[in-house]
Amino acid sequence: MGLESNDRRRPEHLVSDEDSLNDNGSITSSISEARTIYDDDLEADDQLEQDTFEEKLKESIDGFSQKSAVGRKSCLSATIKAFCSRYVYDFVLERRLTITDAVERCLKKGKGEEQALAAQVAALLCIQLGSGPDSDLVFKELKQTLLTLVADNSVACFARSKCFTSLGICTFITDAGQEYLSEVMSAHESAFSASYLKGNGAVPSHVAEIFALHSSALWSWSFLLTLLNASCVDSLVEGHLYRLPELLESSDVDLRITAGDAIAIFYEIMREDDENFEGDDIGDLCYKLKELATDGSKYRAKKDRKQQRASFRDVLKLIEKKEKPDIQVKFGREVLALDSWCRKRQYDAFCQVLGSGMNIHLTENPLLRDIFELGAPLVPNVALVQKATKFERHMVNVAAFRARTVAMNKVRDKRTVVF
């Protein structure tokens, strides 16, 4: 009985080495196959989505020439949304002439809203094409039409405002040359200078639409001011820096704030060449800025007072203490530093045109990355990498679970009943 008991064999190993290798190979094979299938499906889905997007955009562009004004405006709006939401350089380059000609027709023959939308498309077209001969050609073809519209008092004020914005963006992007730059800036000056004090010292009174037009013109003009160095800006000091404080007395809050920003940009540029630059009467200027930075007048709207105080506090810091903005803009894995009034104005200008698509263009558009010194666009697309990684983790878990199940089934089959 004892010997019989000692001769009993122990149960075999749960899983042999060969079985283990086969299981590991199965896991690896499953993950590899899953990854390949997923990548193929992902690429196919992306291509399908891109094709669908481009087909819809092509239909919108073709719709610029339809007879219905309502239809043209709808197609212009759809194109604006598409250009803001994606960077599609190759697609736009192939259709540059078509889009430019259609936009010019809408600017010349359209009315009000259609002209405003066409002006936006013109600006976005140059943003998509970037700095180079193609955007230069677009600007040369549209410049005179835009200049004619901003000077035409019969054109709706909001459409003229959009034309000023478009002129600013296109001039900034393209290699317009000093002659074109001076011509465009002079057109802006002709508009907002109408809000300077009258000859008798009285503050001009305008309707809200005219104030908005003057504010847009000054805003775009100060944006173009950031292209100039101190020696070029010096020629504008006499004609504008000494008169811009007059706009601080305007009854329109947006015009006051825009004027304050323009003064800050002037001082920042001039101090690059002469850090002790003070202008004509810095004492009187600082007094006005302090009044606006602490304005608690009840006749002004609460929101206007808050916005005005915040803006003029920053302007005053630059004039008095030479303190510049220190703003960090995060997008994706990157951070954009807005450390000067010029840089901030440039960022705000493109934000005004691109809206919610600003981060997409900062990430992918070489033009914006060059302007803000962000370097070459990051590749590959981070979002796709993250999706793939999550899926791969899931497939690893699935494969591992299957392998454990197979192994446990083998163990169960090899168990020996001991009495």
Side-chain angles (χ1 to χ4, degrees), residues 111-112 115 148-157 159-160:
K111 300 291 181 183
Q115 292 172 312
T148 300
L149 289 174
V150 297
D152 188 348
N153 292 329
S154 66
V155 176
C157 286
R160 293 167 69 191

Side-chain angles (χ1 to χ4, degrees), residues 4 29 66 78 94 96 120 134 173 251 275 329 344 353 379 388:
E4 190 175 345
S29 176
Q66 62 182 285
E94 292 177 1
R96 177 186 63 80
Q120 287 179 265
D134 294 299
I173 292 172
S251 60
E275 62 179 16
V329 178
K344 181 177 181 298
V353 177
V379 289

Side-chain angles (χ1 to χ4, degrees), residues 74-85:
S74 176
C75 289
L76 287 166
S77 296
T79 302
I80 290 169
K81 184 177 180 181
F83 280 175
C84 288
S85 65

Side-chain angles (χ1 to χ4, degrees), residues 137-156:
L137 289 171
V138 170
F139 181 60
K140 286 178 181 178
E141 291 180 36
L142 299 179
K143 177 180 70 71
Q144 195 54 53
T145 301
L146 291 169
L147 287 172
T148 300
L149 289 174
V150 297
D152 188 348
N153 292 329
S154 66
V155 176

Side-chain angles (χ1 to χ4, degrees), residues 23 40 42 133 163 169 181 189 195 200 204 217 228 234 243 264 279 285 296 298 307 336 346 380 412 414 417:
D23 293 338
D40 291 343
L42 188 62
C163 288
I169 289 289
L181 179 60
E189 292 163 8
S195 282
N200 59 2
L228 305 178
D234 187 54
R243 298 210 65 184
L285 175 61
K298 296 298 182 181
Q307 184 182 8
L336 170 61
Q346 292 168 2
R412 292 187 183 100
K414 295 179 180 179
V417 179

Side-chain angles (χ1 to χ4, degrees), residues 17-29:
D17 290 341
E18 184 178 353
D19 291 334
S20 178
L21 288 172
N22 290 336
D23 293 338
N24 289 337
S26 177
I27 295 174
T28 304
S29 176

